[in-house]
């Protein structure tokens, strides 16, 4: 694992979508997965402040995560894509074309989609908010059903607070 001076550990969180596996470097979040990690690191305890944010998100109360994250992998373009989607407001969607434009590469919609598929921190980095230009839900590394459920959660939570 990159950065041997880091104190890596993982923890789990029982979400309405299933178990989330979270990897931390110190107290900084570096990965979320719906599958167990292959990383050789010990189980630890996620920062309580982050667990509180996850609970708030799944309860429809939290609109934006502010827990620190670090990308331990990814190209400069991928990181630019991941950072750009943090600007998509809760309960809203944008297109792959929008993401490509935000990265300064307006003709790179397909590359933006591939970068989103490699997002190491889904939910917190809300790649589920990116849809096709025709409004269809295409592509999500955790599956279209999970994407739909995240979008529905955000949509209905934002409607109930109007």
């Amino acid at each position: 694992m990159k950065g041997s001076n880091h104190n890596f550990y993982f923890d789990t969180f029982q979400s309405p979508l299933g178990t989330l596996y979270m990897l931390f470097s110190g107290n900084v979040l570096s990965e979320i997965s719906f599958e167990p990690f292959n990383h050789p690191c010990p189980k630890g305890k996620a920062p309580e402040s982050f667990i509180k944010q996850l609970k708030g998100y799944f309860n429809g109360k939290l609109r934006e995560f502010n827990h620190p994250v670090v990308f331990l992998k990814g190209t400069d373009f991928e990181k630019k894509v991941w950072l750009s989607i943090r600007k998509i407001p809760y309960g809203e969607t944008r297109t792959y074309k929008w993401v490509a434009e935000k990265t300064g590469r307006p003709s790179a919609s397909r590359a933006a989609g591939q970068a989103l598929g490699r997002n190491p921190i889904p939910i917190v980095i809300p790649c589920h908010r990116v849809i096709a230009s025709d409004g269809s839900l295409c592509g999500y590394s955790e599956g279209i059903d999970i994407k739909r459920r995240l979008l529905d959660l955000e949509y209905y939570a934002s409607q109930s607070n109007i």
Side-chain angles (χ1 to χ4, degrees):
M1 183 168 294
K2 186 174 158 181
S4 60
N5 60 344
H6 291 278
N7 181 22
F8 287 103
Y9 64 93
F10 80 94
D11 198 0
T12 58
F13 177 81
Q14 297 305 316
S15 84
L17 306 175
T19 302
L20 299 179
Y21 297 86
M22 307 168 295
L23 183 67
F24 292 87
S25 173
N27 283 329
V28 180
L29 179 66
S30 61
E31 273 186 64
I32 291 180
S33 176
F34 285 82
E35 300 294 327
F37 293 117
N38 292 325
H39 303 298
C41 61
K43 178 140 176 27
K45 185 157 175 41
E48 190 57 41
S49 60
F50 182 63
I51 296 301
K52 185 176 179 181
Q53 287 187 21
L54 278 175
K55 288 177 180 177
Y57 174 79
F58 285 110
N59 288 330
K61 306 287 185 225
L62 183 82
R63 300 292 187 255
E64 187 175 321
F65 289 93
N66 63 12
H67 191 83
V69 299
V70 63
F71 300 122
L72 300 176
K73 56 188 170 188
T75 66
D76 288 344
F77 176 73
E78 288 171 337
K79 291 174 184 177
K80 191 181 269 192
V81 165
W82 300 333
L83 291 173
S84 73
I85 62 175
R86 289 192 97 169
K87 296 179 177 103
I88 303 172
Y90 180 92
E92 296 184 20
T93 58
R94 299 292 184 270
T95 64
Y96 293 97
K97 181 174 176 36
W98 179 92
V99 174
E101 289 169 351
K102 289 298 174 195
T103 64
R105 294 180 53 193
S107 63
S109 297
R110 192 165 301 213
Q114 290 171 341
L116 291 171
R118 291 191 279 279
N119 173 11
I121 313 174
I123 301 170
V124 173
I125 306 294
C127 53
H128 60 277
R129 296 180 188 156
V130 181
I131 61 173
S133 294
D134 66 2
S136 65
L137 303 185
C138 60
Y140 189 64
S141 60
E142 305 302 336
I144 296 296
D145 180 57
I146 298 286
K147 183 173 191 165
R148 164 58 60 206
R149 291 174 69 190
L150 288 168
L151 290 171
D152 286 349
L153 178 148
E154 291 184 11
Y155 174 79
Y156 290 112
S158 63
Q159 296 303 304
S160 68
N161 292 327
I162 293 179

